[in-house]
């Protein structure tokens, strides 16, 4: 929590009284001329004597010049969502982008029964309907996706309707929310939270923010994506505002800086108050906030700064995006899931221009630079000690550009669970690892060996274009026809060539898969592995399988957890492909289901506190032979290995030429990773040295060591030579050196 850095909005909350309709419009015109940003109106049809709010919004938009109009909040049961979407887009177009959509689930449902309420009487039903409505509204606005929009929900059905019109700007969806469940929905889906401060329980503006933050993070969103707004009652015994307007700006300032609220709407119909609010209070508040946002930090916060960093040189546009060691939010951004870090500065860039500015500034400080996409950072390279982290978590959009071509634009800060959920309504999927919390940026520059690998291939095999900021700060859009050498290198060399700000990826037609999990007694570890390996290689390519080996614990034998994913909904064919795996070893537990792919790649809730396993070794195997599995059995029974995971490749992965991308490992059938805790590093390395002669290559992101001698494991000779030449061209100073420093290795001539 704290200041989310949004531009301030100050506005009015007017009563749409039918007794003197001209006065209501006049008040809106006063708000417009006074310089206020937004004028809003309540929407309570069960109260007598009120104008229809939607008609009033349209009329006010036509009578004003610059002010934004919004409901505060519109009563959803009155308006079918598909109709609301078109009306909203139309008003936004007619007003040239001066409309925002504030909606609520609707109170007093019996009063509107027969007017679209559908008899939804319980709060839970109204909440479900509100969630569905948001999906419908955004689906209708999504004119980039080809074909009719369809929606089959519990409360709303859209059998098929044309999309559009497209709004003049990206309309924000604000929710009026007070209870925990709707606050959670706000964090997951909305663009703004709009309660009335005086209607909240004491301290609920703080707990509400926390609930929204947690829900946003769980959904793979940056909490700052949700603007925090407040309706404020005029000064009185029970109102937040006290005394004269001269002190209002100072009273509101803590709500901005400490609690992240960035929009305030004064309730009331007094024209003089609107003038004072727009001409005096709003400018004062903006001045105070601007001054504080210029890094007015406490002495303790200043003392926590890292020597050698010129914090005052940070560009103005980044100051609200930067987190220093003395800031309250520092502990949330300093670590990865698995590795602790103490960076001097974390810059949370949200646009390409901010990425360019952050990189230019970071280079000027002559310190280590790490780039973080948004996932768990298993290798630990997305944080550092004493350097600068460029955090891309706010750049997390997922957009279907062309449904017919299955072309999807994904920003690097998204996580793959979020991507899978966004593509599910379109019947599309992208193979992307085995964990919804993995960040897009790290995986999509390395390889992407996921649950659909044998049918789909690697993620990088389907990247059609990349948007990237290079070491010199220039922005490039590259593809097979534009800078093809750089396009080749970006797909497989990790973050060695720049900061990727977006990928265009060709998805596959897929909705449901057959997902099975087996738990097998792996006491005879080598035999279990050999049988599993043969079955995988002989399986139809629709089947991809991962196996995790866990050591014996508390009298239990070593366990093999086998995940099997059949890419498609042909249940009889899936059963035929899965059945042989029941012979791998003594089955302790089994389950299988036909389920959407998105449910397999779920987005988990976990903390980036640096307390995960911190030492991993990675390799590739052509086959699981008697010799290699014997070493693995020794490793897992040593008691010094936390887990070993094997992923099946082959199939579509190996259909691609070794020269097609910088990931050249196109003959191996398995990836292996060994995971342990820092205290057992030396034991793991000793055991790994016995497995090493059986390995043929390495999967870059699973390896925590970056010793130059490992370069030939990651990149075969011809690939490494080509990469080194391109590194000299695009990053001669070795700015991006965390995913193996290509500039310092002298294994091969340049």
């Amino acid at each position: 929590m704290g200041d989310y850095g949004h531009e301030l909005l100050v506005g009015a909350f007017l009563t749409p009284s039918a007794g003197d309709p001209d006065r209501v419009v006049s008040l809106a015109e006063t708000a417009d001329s006074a310089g206020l940003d937004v004028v809003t109106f309540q929407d309570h049809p069960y109260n007598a004597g009120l104008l229809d709010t939607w008609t009033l919004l349209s009329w006010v938009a036509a009578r004003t010049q610059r002010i934004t109009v919004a409901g505060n909040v519109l009563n959803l049961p009155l308006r079918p969502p598909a109709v609301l979407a078109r009306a909203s887009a139309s008003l936004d177009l007619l007003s040239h982008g001066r409309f925002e959509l504030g909606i609520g689930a609707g109170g007093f449902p019996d009063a509107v029964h027969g007017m679209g309420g559908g008899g939804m009487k319980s709060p839970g039903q109204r909440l479900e309907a509100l969630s569905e409505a948001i999906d419908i509204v955004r689906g209708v606005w999504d004119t980039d996706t080809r074909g009719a929009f369809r929606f089959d929900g519990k409360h709303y059905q859209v059998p098929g309707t044309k999309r559009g019109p497209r709004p003049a700007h990206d309309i924000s969806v604000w929710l009026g929310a007070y209870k925990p469940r709707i606050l959670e929905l706000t964090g997951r889906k909305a663009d703004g939270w709009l309660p009335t401060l005086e209607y909240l329980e004491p301290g609920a503006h703080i707990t509400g923010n926390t609930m929204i933050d947690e829900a946003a993070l769980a959904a793979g969103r940056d909490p700052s994506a949700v603007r925090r707004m407040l309706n404020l009652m005029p000064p009185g015994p029970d109102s937040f505002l006290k005394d004269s307007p001269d002190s209002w700006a100072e009273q509101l300032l803590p709500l901005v800086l400490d609690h992240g609220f960035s929009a305030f709407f004064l309730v009331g119909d007094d024209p003089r108050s609107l003038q004072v609010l727009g001409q005096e209070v709003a400018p004062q508040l903006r001045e105070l906030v601007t001054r504080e946002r210029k890094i007015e930090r406490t002495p303790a916060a200043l003392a926590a700064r890292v020597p050698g960093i010129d914090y005052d040189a940070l560009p103005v546009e980044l100051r609200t995006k930067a987190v220093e060691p003395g800031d309250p939010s520092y502990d949330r951004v300093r670590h990865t899931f698995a590795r602790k870090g103490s960076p001097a500065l974390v810059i949370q860039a949200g646009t390409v221009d901010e990425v360019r500015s952050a990189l230019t500034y970071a280079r000027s400080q002559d310190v280590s630079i790490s780039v973080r996409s948004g996932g768990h950072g298993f290798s630990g390279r997305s944080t550092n000690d004493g350097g600068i982290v460029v955090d891309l978590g706010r750049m997390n959009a997922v957009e279907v550009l062309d449904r017919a071509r299955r072309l999807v634009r994904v920003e690097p800060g998204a996580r793959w669970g979020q991507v899978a959920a966004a593509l599910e309504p379109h019947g599309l999927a992208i193979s992307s690892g085995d964990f919804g919390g993995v960040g897009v940026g790290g995986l999509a520059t390395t390889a992407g060996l996921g649950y659909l690998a044998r049918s789909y291939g690697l993620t990088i095999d389907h990247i059609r274009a990349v948007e990237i900021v290079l070491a010199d700060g220039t922005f490039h859009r590259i593809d097979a026809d534009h800078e093809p050498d750089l396009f080749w290198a970006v797909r497989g060399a990790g973050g060695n060539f720049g900061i990727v700000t977006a990928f265009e990826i060709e998805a596959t037609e897929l909705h449901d898969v057959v997902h099975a999990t087996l738990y097998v007694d792996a006491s005879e570890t080598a035999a279990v592995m050999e049988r599993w390996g043969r079955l995988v290689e002989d399986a139809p390519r629709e089947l991809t399988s991962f196996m995790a080996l866990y050591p014996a614990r508390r009298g239990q034998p070593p366990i093999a957890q086998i995940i099997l994913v059949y890419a498609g909904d042909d249940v009889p064919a899936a059963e035929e492909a899965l059945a042989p795996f029941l012979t791998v070893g003594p089955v302790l537990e089994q389950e299988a289901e036909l389920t959407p792919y998105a449910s397999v790649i779920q987005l988990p809730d976990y903390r980036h506190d640096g307390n995960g396993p911190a030492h991993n070794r990675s390799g590739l195997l052509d086959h699981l032979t008697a010799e290699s599995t014997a070493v693995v059995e020794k490793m897992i029974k040593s008691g010094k290995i936390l887990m070993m995971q094997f992923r099946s490749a082959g199939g579509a992965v190996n259909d691609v030429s070794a020269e097609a991308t910088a990931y050249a490992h196109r003959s191996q059938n398995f990836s292996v990773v060994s995971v342990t805790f820092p205290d057992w590093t030396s034991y793991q390395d000793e055991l790994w040295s016995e497995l090493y002669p059986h390995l043929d290559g390495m999967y870059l992101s699973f390896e925590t060591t970056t010793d130059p001698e490992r370069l030939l494991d990651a990149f075969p000779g011809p690939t490494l030579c080509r990469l080194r030449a391109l590194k000299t061209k695009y990053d001669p100073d070795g700015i991006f050196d965390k995913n193996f420093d290509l500039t310092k290795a002298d294994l091969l001539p340049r």
Side-chain angles (χ1 to χ4, degrees), residues 131-254:
S131 178
E132 291 183 7
I134 294 172
D135 294 337
I136 293 171
V137 166
R138 288 180 170 149
V140 172
W141 290 342
D142 179 16
T143 57
D144 289 333
T145 299
R146 293 187 177 182
F149 173 74
R150 295 179 173 83
F151 188 88
D152 184 16
K154 182 177 179 180
H155 300 281
Y156 295 109
Q157 293 78 41
V158 182
T161 185
K162 291 185 177 180
R163 299 174 187 269
R166 184 172 189 151
H169 84 300
D170 290 334
I171 296 174
S172 297
V173 178
W174 304 340
L175 298 188
Y178 294 89
K179 300 296 184 181
R181 290 181 62 189
I182 195 169
L183 288 168
E184 189 271 340
L185 175 63
T186 303
R188 282 193 293 114
K189 290 190 177 183
D191 304 304
W193 177 36
L194 180 53
T196 298
L197 180 58
E198 287 80 3
Y199 291 172
L200 292 168
E201 296 291 332
H205 63 297
I206 300 174
T207 57
N209 261 336
T210 301
M211 291 180 189
I212 291 171
D213 285 355
E214 291 174 349
L217 289 169
R221 306 180 70 198
D222 186 334
S224 67
V226 184
R227 179 188 282 275
R228 318 306 162 99
M229 302 172 283
L230 287 172
N231 297 316
L232 299 168
M233 302 301 291
D238 299 322
S239 66
F240 173 81
L241 296 173
K242 307 295 182 185
D243 305 320
S244 69
D246 293 341
S247 65
W248 287 2
E250 292 184 356
Q251 293 175 48
L252 294 173
L253 184 62

Side-chain angles (χ1 to χ4, degrees), residues 18-153:
D20 189 352
D22 289 339
R23 184 172 187 272
V24 180
V25 178
S26 176
L27 287 169
E29 291 173 325
T30 298
D32 190 26
S33 62
L36 291 175
D37 303 297
V38 187
V39 61
T40 70
F41 304 93
Q42 61 174 282
D43 187 30
H44 298 316
Y46 33 77
N47 290 344
L50 299 181
L51 295 167
D52 172 66
T53 300
W54 189 266
T55 305
L56 178 61
L57 287 169
S58 302
W59 187 261
V60 167
R63 291 284 296 269
T64 53
Q65 299 298 315
R66 44 161 298 280
I67 201 165
T68 293
V69 299
N72 193 343
V73 288
L74 295 173
N75 195 309
L76 176 63
L78 290 177
R79 300 173 179 89
V83 177
L84 177 62
R86 286 205 172 89
S88 299
S90 299
L91 182 53
D92 195 56
L93 287 165
L94 292 168
S95 65
H96 303 289
R98 293 192 292 122
F99 173 77
E100 304 294 358
L101 181 58
I103 55 174
F108 301 95
D110 286 342
V112 297
H113 185 54
M115 302 171 63
M120 294 179 294
K121 298 183 180 181
S122 75
Q125 288 177 316
R126 295 201 301 272
L127 181 64
E128 291 171 349
L130 180 59
S131 178
E132 291 183 7
I134 294 172
D135 294 337
I136 293 171
V137 166
R138 288 180 170 149
V140 172
W141 290 342
D142 179 16
T143 57
D144 289 333
T145 299
R146 293 187 177 182
F149 173 74
R150 295 179 173 83
F151 188 88
D152 184 16

Side-chain angles (χ1 to χ4, degrees), residues 431-434 443 447-451 453 458-459 546 647-649 653 671 699:
S431 186
S432 55
D434 63 336
L443 181 142
L449 188 60
Y451 279 147
L458 301 175
T459 308
F546 288 14
R647 302 184 177 208
S648 60
V653 175
S671 160
Y699 190 93

